[in-house]
Amino acid sequence: MRLIAGTHLFALISLTAALDNGLLRTPPMGWMAWERFRCDIDCHDDPQNCISEDLFRDMADRLVEDGWKELGYEYVMIDDCWMSKLRDEQGRLQPEPSRFPGGIAKLARYIHDRGLKLGIYADMGTHTCMGLPGTTLDKIEIDAQTFASWGVDYLKFDGCYSNPLEQMLGYPLMSLALNATGRPIAYSCSWPVYVGGLPPVVNYTLMGNICNLWRNYFDIQDSWDSLQGIVDWFFNNQDDLQPAAGPGQWNDPDMLIIGNFGLSLEQSRSQMALWAIMASPLIMSNDLRNLDNGARAILQNKVAIAINQDPLGIQGRRLLQEKSRIEVYWRPLANSASALVFLSRRSDMPYLYHTSLAKLNYNPGNYGVYDVFTGSTVTGLNTTTLFTISINPSGVVMWYILPEHSKKTHTHHHLHKTASHFTFL
Ligand code: GLA
């Protein structure tokens, strides 16, 4: 045991550089089984929805045929409950044969043949959260090698059934083991969740050095309450969390639940908008075979996606929480652009919110505004101009904003003719 600990310490000390796999320069996009399909292993009574190779092939087909892939949704991710209860004779994890008769390598080929990538799930500990074989410290290397040999492109490494010391050793060791395979494998760490998600217990500099993304907080459930709890926690702790994010290293507030049962259309827009502001992974967990057009349009909104995928990779912040229960969120983007989200926490009626870009810390000047969900535009919006927007209960107004350069004389002229207050409804 002393010897093993010594080896691990050496590994930790040699971990000085950032996780240098070049992956996820923008947040990952794709689909993951867990929130929608959980640990449904009942292929007898529920063949369409059980965790099996058919489910992942179906989702891969949908991603390719329904326009998702070309928008950037490229990962198909297996979560818990893919494994057999026993490792094979060589000590390797193996898929449950009745549900994955072709094996993971074959599924990876199917997914790669369609220009997509495959994600898989393992757990740092004795068991996965659902009780299947875990990856104890002595199994890290063989599991990394097994995933690489199958052609896996992404690993979600959960942390049930381990203690903080094992986590402190295991998460960096898996990072090294994945790098050592020579296959680029994006690495998602659940470590922060298991130790409270915040400094000083969580070292976000280390996290950025060893993981491409990490789960900070509890699992999302299919409800607006769950979503609001996550949003509150992330933005209440933005001073700790926001600086941790950047190209190749992302906070993960968990899956998109748009298209399921718990969110209204307004609330679905709110999730998309806030996940774009947070530079969060856009990992849907829904049934792509049965998606209504409202949910589809929100998830496929090109401007919301472009804001999420902005190349600067700066996570946004909450600017204001008004007594009126309107909140304002902001994210700086490449080319001096920015995004604003006005969120209503009200439950009465559309609220008329009065503000100006100056009140939201914008530099003096004129701006062009594109409303992300309605498609309407305004040009020549001066920072001093008071405007009014209408925000639906539990909904958002989301703006993409660009400064208007080199049009000074024109805009001055325009402004003289414009009332100093306009309503943007
Ligand atoms: C944990 C994770 C979830 C999911 C389940 C699977 O709760 O946080 O995202 O992976 O385990 O059992």
Side-chain angles (χ1 to χ4, degrees), residues 34 79-80 121 129-130 156 158 215 219 255:
W34 182 256
D79 205 284
D80 206 344
Y121 169 99
C129 297
M130 295 309 295
K156 171 175 175 177
D158 211 344
R215 283 282 310 283
D219 294 0
M255 292 161 257

Side-chain angles (χ1 to χ4, degrees), residues 32 34-35 38-39 79-81 121 123 128-131 156 158-160 190 193-194 215 217-220 254-255:
M32 181 176 270
W34 182 256
E35 197 290 318
R38 306 284 169 149
C39 195
D79 205 284
D80 206 344
C81 302
Y121 169 99
D123 184 282
T128 74
C129 297
M130 295 309 295
K156 171 175 175 177
D158 211 344
C160 276
S190 298
V193 191
Y194 289 89
R215 283 282 310 283
Y217 192 62
F218 301 135
D219 294 0
I220 198 163
D254 213 359
M255 292 161 257

Side-chain angles (χ1 to χ4, degrees), residues 153-261:
D153 305 293
Y154 180 118
L155 172 66
K156 171 175 175 177
F157 202 31
D158 211 344
C160 276
Y161 303 108
S162 53
N163 65 39
L165 176 62
E166 291 160 340
Q167 290 155 7
M168 190 184 295
L169 297 169
Y171 279 97
L173 281 171
M174 180 58 91
S175 184
L176 291 173
L178 291 173
N179 271 350
T181 66
R183 184 177 176 83
I185 300 178
Y187 182 36
S188 165
C189 300
S190 298
W191 186 10
V193 191
Y194 289 89
V195 286
L198 293 174
V201 180
V202 178
N203 176 349
Y204 277 111
T205 307
L206 173 64
M207 221 52 71
N209 286 344
I210 65 168
C211 311
N212 293 115
L213 65 155
W214 46 82
R215 283 282 310 283
N216 315 64
Y217 192 62
F218 301 135
D219 294 0
I220 198 163
Q221 309 295 337
D222 193 6
S223 78
W224 176 237
D225 267 4
S226 162
L227 198 156
Q228 289 190 95
I230 289 171
V231 168
D232 286 337
W233 186 86
F234 273 81
F235 288 101
N236 287 342
N237 295 299
Q238 62 184 352
D239 290 347
D240 289 320
L241 303 177
Q242 187 270 340
Q249 47 185 90
W250 310 104
N251 293 299
D252 178 7
D254 213 359
M255 292 161 257
L256 294 167
I257 54 171
I258 299 164
N260 295 329
F261 311 99

